[in-house]
Amino acid sequence: MLMSRILEDKLASLYRAGRLVGGVYLGKGQEAYSAALGCQLTKGKDILGTFIRDQAARIAWGEPLLDAFRTYFGSVLGPMRGRDGNVHRGRPKEGLPAMISHIGSMTGVVAGMLFARRLQGRLGDAVGVVTIGEGGTSTGAFHEGLNLAAVEKLPLIMAITNNQFSYSTANSRQFACENLIDRAKGYGVDGYTVDGTDLVECLRVVSTAVRRAREGHGPQMIVASLLRLSGHGEHDDASYIPDAMKQSSVGRDCMVVAEQRLIAEGWGTAAEVESWRAECRSAIEKTMAQVTKEPAPDPFKESWRALSTPELAEGMWLE
Amino acid sequence: MSLTYLEAIREAQYEALRKNPNVFLYGQDIGGFGGAFKATKNLQNEFPGRVFDAPISEDAMVGMAIGAAIEGAHPILEMQFADFSSVGFNQVVNQAATLYWRTNTPCPITIRLPSGGTAGSGPFHSQSMEAIYAHYPGLVILTPATVEDAYWMLLDSVECQDPVIFCEHKFLYYHLKSESFGNRELPIGKARIARPGRHATVVTYSAMLHESIRAAEELQADGYQVEVVDLRSVKPIDTDTILASVARTGRLLCVGEAFPWGGVTAEVLARVATEAFHLLDAPPQRLNSKDTPIPYHPNLWKAHRPTVASITDALRRLLRD
């Protein structure tokens, strides 16, 4: 989570300096929950279906920093080769499907990955995580996908982050139930709530949900409450978030909470944390220095072909 | 023995399941019930654990198929009616169609769309969706018009590593019969000269092939030999075969059952006008359904879609010019 925060601070400054095109969407404030999700998964075995605020989960799962920088800078050596950018990256064959912008639609995809593995007899005790915000729970895709996963009893963890705002829309305009977790019963899945600002609690709840999914208890739904500590994207100053909410317990910065707990429990010292920060900064600077030297995509070398079967691509559009 | 178009769809799925262990079937009511049209009749018994009833969730069904394809499976999805695929539209055009291009991961899924009108089916069980899917890059759109093509092109779809929208026409399910499935003669993307001629070309596909052939037969009595081209695949479109036919006849009518704004017929006319304007002896023509939703009552329905009479009229006007 430390690496994620430092990386995202770097991305925000690159955005403000005009060095990144398109949007920059950060996960500031939800690193504890996100990292807890990622670190419960094993790369090469489990599936991570991310949304836009999962830098920490990606790092904890094992996505290399190189993939992040190469996608933001559009390097041809990256997984998306300049065809898609920023958080729209992944390596589907390695268990990291590349999200599309249409909220909720990765649910069905992760369910299908699990379904196929079970059909092929190689699912084992692998699980798939799908992350989504509270606003995403209003979509038909979320409902259809989770219902399908529940009908099929797939080991899917639906990890909802209630960060209080969907872009600028407050929860009162997003859903009418008292607590989103009440919906778990309706889907016939186990439900958990957690204080998303508390790393230790996140680890406890997420590990329980992941274990239950691995043991064959079907989909698990988690709702973590926290506050988004940034705009929807870096173009958004989030002036609609009331100060009172920022001062409340939901507005705590999970990074500060985690660091204080770590020092108070004697799990590490302030000096150690500072040295971890320095390590993260150094890795980030090194990766960025490498990626900025890499070639950008060349429209004259681009294939301009959307089908994998060359003979089915119509020649008239390839020129 | 005679085989129907519907039996071809069923038998092709049987063959795909038999040949390829990665194939599975997913759709509403397709298991023990055998599907709304019985296109999967008995397949669940014959292939236990590989034919699944889906919840009424077209979005999740397509999403699920994409995920399965990522993992090396080849799902065949049945949409109960092509019309309902609009609920899964986002997953088809934004997820399946972009997957290879974005991530270098092929997306081998086949989505069967029971398409087109039949008497009494009304606005929401009659649609032809080929043009709306063909608009998006990254999809293959097939529109078989014969029993043989229904069989072989469905098997081709399952061998294809790209997402295939398989538009099978409901009007042909029971009407169309053949003695055998014949042989695999043409690859995906190749059109077929269904009826040779030299005075005018009709380019068409799916159920309109049969109406067009009958119109051509009527005009034979007047001494006209009308060539009929069956596109078979609307994406990719076989422009070469169309242009070669227009070069022989100098006149073009394109017939489709879908709505008139844009679409396959407009695409064919645009290609002929831009590539072969000099070969035309008369302005190219197109004939589609009327620009309203598809009506319920048979009297209205028959007048809404192109018919033998309206195609014959259009051809007479084209031949007079």
mmCIF file of all heavy atoms in Angstrom, chain B residues 162-194:
data_model
loop_
_atom_site.group_PDB
_atom_site.id
_atom_site.type_symbol
_atom_site.label_atom_id
_atom_site.label_comp_id
_atom_site.label_asym_id
_atom_site.label_seq_id
_atom_site.Cartn_x
_atom_site.Cartn_y
_atom_site.Cartn_z
ATOM 1 N N ASP B 162 -12.011 -15.612 -33.293
ATOM 2 C CA ASP B 162 -12.591 -14.299 -33.018
ATOM 3 C C ASP B 162 -14.060 -14.458 -32.659
ATOM 4 O O ASP B 162 -14.678 -15.476 -32.966
ATOM 5 C CB ASP B 162 -12.428 -13.406 -34.254
ATOM 6 C CG ASP B 162 -10.978 -13.003 -34.454
ATOM 7 O OD1 ASP B 162 -10.447 -12.316 -33.576
ATOM 8 O OD2 ASP B 162 -10.368 -13.404 -35.463
ATOM 9 N N PRO B 163 -14.629 -13.424 -32.016
ATOM 10 C CA PRO B 163 -16.054 -13.521 -31.667
ATOM 11 C C PRO B 163 -16.931 -13.523 -32.917
ATOM 12 O O PRO B 163 -16.777 -12.663 -33.787
ATOM 13 C CB PRO B 163 -16.323 -12.276 -30.817
ATOM 14 C CG PRO B 163 -15.080 -11.470 -30.789
ATOM 15 C CD PRO B 163 -14.006 -12.186 -31.528
ATOM 16 N N VAL B 164 -17.827 -14.506 -32.999
ATOM 17 C CA VAL B 164 -18.700 -14.628 -34.159
ATOM 18 C C VAL B 164 -20.145 -14.392 -33.729
ATOM 19 O O VAL B 164 -20.627 -15.011 -32.767
ATOM 20 C CB VAL B 164 -18.580 -16.025 -34.807
ATOM 21 C CG1 VAL B 164 -19.597 -16.167 -35.951
ATOM 22 C CG2 VAL B 164 -17.176 -16.263 -35.327
ATOM 23 N N ILE B 165 -20.819 -13.490 -34.433
ATOM 24 C CA ILE B 165 -22.253 -13.291 -34.250
ATOM 25 C C ILE B 165 -22.923 -14.094 -35.352
ATOM 26 O O ILE B 165 -22.795 -13.773 -36.544
ATOM 27 C CB ILE B 165 -22.631 -11.790 -34.378
ATOM 28 C CG1 ILE B 165 -21.758 -10.925 -33.464
ATOM 29 C CG2 ILE B 165 -24.114 -11.595 -34.086
ATOM 30 C CD1 ILE B 165 -21.909 -11.199 -31.993
ATOM 31 N N PHE B 166 -23.603 -15.155 -34.954
ATOM 32 C CA PHE B 166 -24.162 -16.105 -35.908
ATOM 33 C C PHE B 166 -25.661 -15.839 -36.025
ATOM 34 O O PHE B 166 -26.444 -16.189 -35.132
ATOM 35 C CB PHE B 166 -23.889 -17.530 -35.410
ATOM 36 C CG PHE B 166 -24.194 -18.598 -36.412
ATOM 37 C CD1 PHE B 166 -23.274 -18.936 -37.386
ATOM 38 C CD2 PHE B 166 -25.410 -19.275 -36.383
ATOM 39 C CE1 PHE B 166 -23.551 -19.931 -38.316
ATOM 40 C CE2 PHE B 166 -25.699 -20.265 -37.307
ATOM 41 C CZ PHE B 166 -24.763 -20.596 -38.280
ATOM 42 N N CYS B 167 -26.042 -15.153 -37.110
ATOM 43 C CA CYS B 167 -27.439 -14.733 -37.293
ATOM 44 C C CYS B 167 -28.177 -15.817 -38.076
ATOM 45 O O CYS B 167 -28.071 -15.896 -39.296
ATOM 46 C CB CYS B 167 -27.499 -13.405 -38.049
ATOM 47 S SG CYS B 167 -26.548 -12.094 -37.275
ATOM 48 N N GLU B 168 -28.889 -16.668 -37.348
ATOM 49 C CA GLU B 168 -29.647 -17.748 -37.996
ATOM 50 C C GLU B 168 -31.091 -17.274 -38.114
ATOM 51 O O GLU B 168 -31.645 -16.699 -37.166
ATOM 52 C CB GLU B 168 -29.540 -19.031 -37.153
ATOM 53 C CG GLU B 168 -29.870 -18.810 -35.685
ATOM 54 C CD GLU B 168 -29.466 -19.981 -34.785
ATOM 55 O OE1 GLU B 168 -28.284 -20.309 -34.760
ATOM 56 O OE2 GLU B 168 -30.364 -20.536 -34.117
ATOM 57 N N HIS B 169 -31.701 -17.508 -39.271
ATOM 58 C CA HIS B 169 -33.024 -16.920 -39.501
ATOM 59 C C HIS B 169 -34.140 -17.865 -39.074
ATOM 60 O O HIS B 169 -34.239 -18.987 -39.569
ATOM 61 C CB HIS B 169 -33.192 -16.521 -40.969
ATOM 62 C CG HIS B 169 -34.221 -15.453 -41.129
ATOM 63 N ND1 HIS B 169 -35.545 -15.657 -40.834
ATOM 64 C CD2 HIS B 169 -34.115 -14.159 -41.515
ATOM 65 C CE1 HIS B 169 -36.227 -14.534 -41.047
ATOM 66 N NE2 HIS B 169 -35.376 -13.605 -41.452
ATOM 67 N N LYS B 170 -35.015 -17.376 -38.204
ATOM 68 C CA LYS B 170 -36.094 -18.218 -37.663
ATOM 69 C C LYS B 170 -37.097 -18.641 -38.736
ATOM 70 O O LYS B 170 -37.698 -19.704 -38.645
ATOM 71 C CB LYS B 170 -36.841 -17.479 -36.542
ATOM 72 C CG LYS B 170 -35.946 -17.047 -35.394
ATOM 73 C CD LYS B 170 -36.752 -16.617 -34.179
ATOM 74 C CE LYS B 170 -37.626 -15.400 -34.443
ATOM 75 N NZ LYS B 170 -36.848 -14.167 -34.656
ATOM 76 N N PHE B 171 -37.286 -17.780 -39.747
ATOM 77 C CA PHE B 171 -38.230 -18.100 -40.808
ATOM 78 C C PHE B 171 -37.779 -19.341 -41.588
ATOM 79 O O PHE B 171 -38.588 -20.066 -42.158
ATOM 80 C CB PHE B 171 -38.358 -16.896 -41.760
ATOM 81 C CG PHE B 171 -39.465 -17.017 -42.751
ATOM 82 C CD1 PHE B 171 -40.790 -16.868 -42.364
ATOM 83 C CD2 PHE B 171 -39.196 -17.284 -44.093
ATOM 84 C CE1 PHE B 171 -41.817 -16.977 -43.283
ATOM 85 C CE2 PHE B 171 -40.222 -17.393 -45.013
ATOM 86 C CZ PHE B 171 -41.541 -17.237 -44.608
ATOM 87 N N LEU B 172 -36.467 -19.577 -41.575
ATOM 88 C CA LEU B 172 -35.920 -20.714 -42.330
ATOM 89 C C LEU B 172 -35.875 -21.998 -41.499
ATOM 90 O O LEU B 172 -35.640 -23.077 -42.047
ATOM 91 C CB LEU B 172 -34.507 -20.384 -42.820
ATOM 92 C CG LEU B 172 -34.356 -19.094 -43.627
ATOM 93 C CD1 LEU B 172 -32.892 -18.885 -44.021
ATOM 94 C CD2 LEU B 172 -35.233 -19.141 -44.877
ATOM 95 N N TYR B 173 -36.061 -21.880 -40.191
ATOM 96 C CA TYR B 173 -35.869 -23.016 -39.293
ATOM 97 C C TYR B 173 -36.564 -24.301 -39.795
ATOM 98 O O TYR B 173 -35.965 -25.359 -39.847
ATOM 99 C CB TYR B 173 -36.424 -22.695 -37.908
ATOM 100 C CG TYR B 173 -35.430 -22.037 -36.956
ATOM 101 C CD1 TYR B 173 -35.878 -21.522 -35.735
ATOM 102 C CD2 TYR B 173 -34.079 -21.954 -37.237
ATOM 103 C CE1 TYR B 173 -34.992 -20.932 -34.833
ATOM 104 C CE2 TYR B 173 -33.196 -21.361 -36.351
ATOM 105 C CZ TYR B 173 -33.652 -20.854 -35.154
ATOM 106 O OH TYR B 173 -32.787 -20.284 -34.260
ATOM 107 N N TYR B 174 -37.849 -24.154 -40.117
ATOM 108 C CA TYR B 174 -38.635 -25.350 -40.469
ATOM 109 C C TYR B 174 -38.908 -25.453 -41.963
ATOM 110 O O TYR B 174 -39.092 -26.531 -42.497
ATOM 111 C CB TYR B 174 -39.970 -25.343 -39.707
ATOM 112 C CG TYR B 174 -39.833 -24.975 -38.245
ATOM 113 C CD1 TYR B 174 -40.175 -23.705 -37.789
ATOM 114 C CD2 TYR B 174 -39.331 -25.902 -37.322
ATOM 115 C CE1 TYR B 174 -40.031 -23.359 -36.441
ATOM 116 C CE2 TYR B 174 -39.188 -25.565 -35.981
ATOM 117 C CZ TYR B 174 -39.544 -24.284 -35.545
ATOM 118 O OH TYR B 174 -39.394 -23.954 -34.227
ATOM 119 N N HIS B 175 -38.954 -24.271 -42.642
ATOM 120 C CA HIS B 175 -39.313 -24.260 -44.059
ATOM 121 C C HIS B 175 -38.239 -24.852 -44.954
ATOM 122 O O HIS B 175 -38.528 -25.508 -45.940
ATOM 123 C CB HIS B 175 -39.545 -22.812 -44.542
ATOM 124 C CG HIS B 175 -40.766 -22.179 -43.946
ATOM 125 N ND1 HIS B 175 -41.079 -20.854 -44.093
ATOM 126 C CD2 HIS B 175 -41.748 -22.712 -43.201
ATOM 127 C CE1 HIS B 175 -42.194 -20.593 -43.449
ATOM 128 N NE2 HIS B 175 -42.620 -21.710 -42.903
ATOM 129 N N LEU B 176 -37.009 -24.551 -44.575
ATOM 130 C CA LEU B 176 -35.919 -24.845 -45.496
ATOM 131 C C LEU B 176 -35.419 -26.263 -45.256
ATOM 132 O O LEU B 176 -35.099 -26.637 -44.123
ATOM 133 C CB LEU B 176 -34.799 -23.835 -45.238
ATOM 134 C CG LEU B 176 -33.885 -23.498 -46.392
ATOM 135 C CD1 LEU B 176 -34.690 -22.947 -47.557
ATOM 136 C CD2 LEU B 176 -32.842 -22.484 -45.947
ATOM 137 N N LYS B 177 -35.335 -27.035 -46.338
ATOM 138 C CA LYS B 177 -34.909 -28.436 -46.203
ATOM 139 C C LYS B 177 -33.858 -28.775 -47.250
ATOM 140 O O LYS B 177 -33.805 -28.162 -48.319
ATOM 141 C CB LYS B 177 -36.113 -29.368 -46.365
ATOM 142 C CG LYS B 177 -37.089 -29.252 -45.206
ATOM 143 C CD LYS B 177 -38.215 -30.253 -45.292
ATOM 144 C CE LYS B 177 -39.102 -30.115 -44.059
ATOM 145 N NZ LYS B 177 -40.501 -30.042 -44.369
ATOM 146 N N SER B 178 -33.055 -29.756 -46.899
ATOM 147 C CA SER B 178 -32.044 -30.219 -47.840
ATOM 148 C C SER B 178 -31.848 -31.712 -47.620
ATOM 149 O O SER B 178 -32.147 -32.233 -46.540
ATOM 150 C CB SER B 178 -30.731 -29.471 -47.609
ATOM 151 O OG SER B 178 -29.758 -29.930 -48.514
ATOM 152 N N GLU B 179 -31.371 -32.395 -48.637
ATOM 153 C CA GLU B 179 -31.160 -33.839 -48.509
ATOM 154 C C GLU B 179 -29.978 -34.165 -47.602
ATOM 155 O O GLU B 179 -29.945 -35.193 -46.942
ATOM 156 C CB GLU B 179 -30.947 -34.465 -49.894
ATOM 157 C CG GLU B 179 -32.230 -34.571 -50.709
ATOM 158 C CD GLU B 179 -33.370 -35.247 -49.924
ATOM 159 O OE1 GLU B 179 -33.159 -36.378 -49.450
ATOM 160 O OE2 GLU B 179 -34.447 -34.629 -49.776
ATOM 161 N N SER B 180 -28.982 -33.262 -47.616
ATOM 162 C CA SER B 180 -27.805 -33.519 -46.780
ATOM 163 C C SER B 180 -27.164 -32.174 -46.436
ATOM 164 O O SER B 180 -27.585 -31.132 -46.936
ATOM 165 C CB SER B 180 -26.799 -34.388 -47.532
ATOM 166 O OG SER B 180 -26.116 -33.586 -48.482
ATOM 167 N N PHE B 181 -26.174 -32.214 -45.570
ATOM 168 C CA PHE B 181 -25.450 -30.982 -45.241
ATOM 169 C C PHE B 181 -24.377 -30.680 -46.280
ATOM 170 O O PHE B 181 -23.707 -29.658 -46.204
ATOM 171 C CB PHE B 181 -24.814 -31.077 -43.846
ATOM 172 C CG PHE B 181 -25.829 -31.227 -42.739
ATOM 173 C CD1 PHE B 181 -25.631 -32.127 -41.712
ATOM 174 C CD2 PHE B 181 -26.991 -30.461 -42.742
ATOM 175 C CE1 PHE B 181 -26.565 -32.260 -40.698
ATOM 176 C CE2 PHE B 181 -27.933 -30.590 -41.729
ATOM 177 C CZ PHE B 181 -27.718 -31.504 -40.706
ATOM 178 N N GLY B 182 -24.191 -31.583 -47.232
ATOM 179 C CA GLY B 182 -23.213 -31.344 -48.284
ATOM 180 C C GLY B 182 -21.801 -31.260 -47.741
ATOM 181 O O GLY B 182 -21.480 -31.848 -46.708
ATOM 182 N N ASN B 183 -20.976 -30.506 -48.430
ATOM 183 C CA ASN B 183 -19.580 -30.374 -48.034
ATOM 184 C C ASN B 183 -19.269 -28.928 -47.709
ATOM 185 O O ASN B 183 -19.955 -28.019 -48.140
ATOM 186 C CB ASN B 183 -18.656 -30.829 -49.171
ATOM 187 C CG ASN B 183 -18.914 -32.286 -49.518
ATOM 188 O OD1 ASN B 183 -18.924 -33.139 -48.635
ATOM 189 N ND2 ASN B 183 -19.172 -32.552 -50.789
ATOM 190 N N ARG B 184 -18.195 -28.765 -46.964
ATOM 191 C CA ARG B 184 -17.729 -27.406 -46.669
ATOM 192 C C ARG B 184 -17.094 -26.860 -47.948
ATOM 193 O O ARG B 184 -16.049 -27.330 -48.370
ATOM 194 C CB ARG B 184 -16.697 -27.482 -45.548
ATOM 195 C CG ARG B 184 -16.167 -26.158 -45.099
ATOM 196 C CD ARG B 184 -15.102 -26.352 -44.033
ATOM 197 N NE ARG B 184 -15.557 -25.971 -42.714
ATOM 198 C CZ ARG B 184 -15.242 -26.628 -41.604
ATOM 199 N NH1 ARG B 184 -14.502 -27.702 -41.662
ATOM 200 N NH2 ARG B 184 -15.669 -26.200 -40.430
ATOM 201 N N GLU B 185 -17.776 -25.899 -48.565
ATOM 202 C CA GLU B 185 -17.291 -25.466 -49.879
ATOM 203 C C GLU B 185 -16.620 -24.111 -49.888
ATOM 204 O O GLU B 185 -15.675 -23.884 -50.638
ATOM 205 C CB GLU B 185 -18.431 -25.507 -50.896
ATOM 206 C CG GLU B 185 -18.644 -26.943 -51.353
ATOM 207 C CD GLU B 185 -19.831 -27.150 -52.237
ATOM 208 O OE1 GLU B 185 -20.532 -26.156 -52.518
ATOM 209 O OE2 GLU B 185 -20.071 -28.300 -52.631
ATOM 210 N N LEU B 186 -17.117 -23.194 -49.063
ATOM 211 C CA LEU B 186 -16.547 -21.842 -49.072
ATOM 212 C C LEU B 186 -16.132 -21.448 -47.660
ATOM 213 O O LEU B 186 -16.825 -21.772 -46.704
ATOM 214 C CB LEU B 186 -17.587 -20.828 -49.574
ATOM 215 C CG LEU B 186 -17.978 -20.897 -51.047
ATOM 216 C CD1 LEU B 186 -19.182 -19.975 -51.300
ATOM 217 C CD2 LEU B 186 -16.809 -20.482 -51.928
ATOM 218 N N PRO B 187 -15.034 -20.708 -47.538
ATOM 219 C CA PRO B 187 -14.635 -20.247 -46.203
ATOM 220 C C PRO B 187 -15.473 -19.035 -45.761
ATOM 221 O O PRO B 187 -16.162 -18.420 -46.583
ATOM 222 C CB PRO B 187 -13.173 -19.851 -46.401
ATOM 223 C CG PRO B 187 -13.070 -19.465 -47.835
ATOM 224 C CD PRO B 187 -14.075 -20.303 -48.577
ATOM 225 N N ILE B 188 -15.380 -18.696 -44.485
ATOM 226 C CA ILE B 188 -16.004 -17.471 -43.977
ATOM 227 C C ILE B 188 -15.493 -16.288 -44.798
ATOM 228 O O ILE B 188 -14.299 -16.197 -45.096
ATOM 229 C CB ILE B 188 -15.629 -17.242 -42.489
ATOM 230 C CG1 ILE B 188 -16.275 -18.293 -41.602
ATOM 231 C CG2 ILE B 188 -16.059 -15.841 -42.038
ATOM 232 C CD1 ILE B 188 -15.904 -18.148 -40.134
ATOM 233 N N GLY B 189 -16.410 -15.417 -45.174
ATOM 234 C CA GLY B 189 -15.989 -14.207 -45.893
ATOM 235 C C GLY B 189 -16.146 -14.311 -47.390
ATOM 236 O O GLY B 189 -15.891 -13.344 -48.110
ATOM 237 N N LYS B 190 -16.546 -15.484 -47.893
ATOM 238 C CA LYS B 190 -16.743 -15.628 -49.334
ATOM 239 C C LYS B 190 -18.234 -15.682 -49.632
ATOM 240 O O LYS B 190 -18.983 -16.462 -49.044
ATOM 241 C CB LYS B 190 -16.091 -16.919 -49.847
ATOM 242 C CG LYS B 190 -14.581 -16.864 -49.887
ATOM 243 C CD LYS B 190 -14.048 -15.688 -50.644
ATOM 244 C CE LYS B 190 -13.636 -16.018 -52.062
ATOM 245 N NZ LYS B 190 -13.043 -14.788 -52.705
ATOM 246 N N ALA B 191 -18.646 -14.865 -50.605
ATOM 247 C CA ALA B 191 -20.039 -14.891 -51.060
ATOM 248 C C ALA B 191 -20.185 -15.985 -52.120
ATOM 249 O O ALA B 191 -19.198 -16.552 -52.598
ATOM 250 C CB ALA B 191 -20.427 -13.539 -51.625
ATOM 251 N N ARG B 192 -21.432 -16.261 -52.472
ATOM 252 C CA ARG B 192 -21.714 -17.356 -53.402
ATOM 253 C C ARG B 192 -22.686 -16.825 -54.454
ATOM 254 O O ARG B 192 -23.625 -16.084 -54.137
ATOM 255 C CB ARG B 192 -22.385 -18.475 -52.595
ATOM 256 C CG ARG B 192 -22.789 -19.719 -53.350
ATOM 257 C CD ARG B 192 -23.324 -20.755 -52.350
ATOM 258 N NE ARG B 192 -24.568 -20.307 -51.733
ATOM 259 C CZ ARG B 192 -25.779 -20.659 -52.173
ATOM 260 N NH1 ARG B 192 -25.918 -21.491 -53.181
ATOM 261 N NH2 ARG B 192 -26.868 -20.210 -51.567
ATOM 262 N N ILE B 193 -22.450 -17.180 -55.687
ATOM 263 C CA ILE B 193 -23.436 -16.849 -56.725
ATOM 264 C C ILE B 193 -24.533 -17.903 -56.615
ATOM 265 O O ILE B 193 -24.337 -19.052 -56.996
ATOM 266 C CB ILE B 193 -22.820 -16.893 -58.147
ATOM 267 C CG1 ILE B 193 -21.542 -16.050 -58.223
ATOM 268 C CG2 ILE B 193 -23.852 -16.464 -59.187
ATOM 269 C CD1 ILE B 193 -21.738 -14.578 -58.137
ATOM 270 N N ALA B 194 -25.661 -17.503 -56.062
ATOM 271 C CA ALA B 194 -26.727 -18.472 -55.831
ATOM 272 C C ALA B 194 -27.495 -18.757 -57.112
ATOM 273 O O ALA B 194 -28.105 -19.822 -57.263
ATOM 274 C CB ALA B 194 -27.684 -17.946 -54.760
#
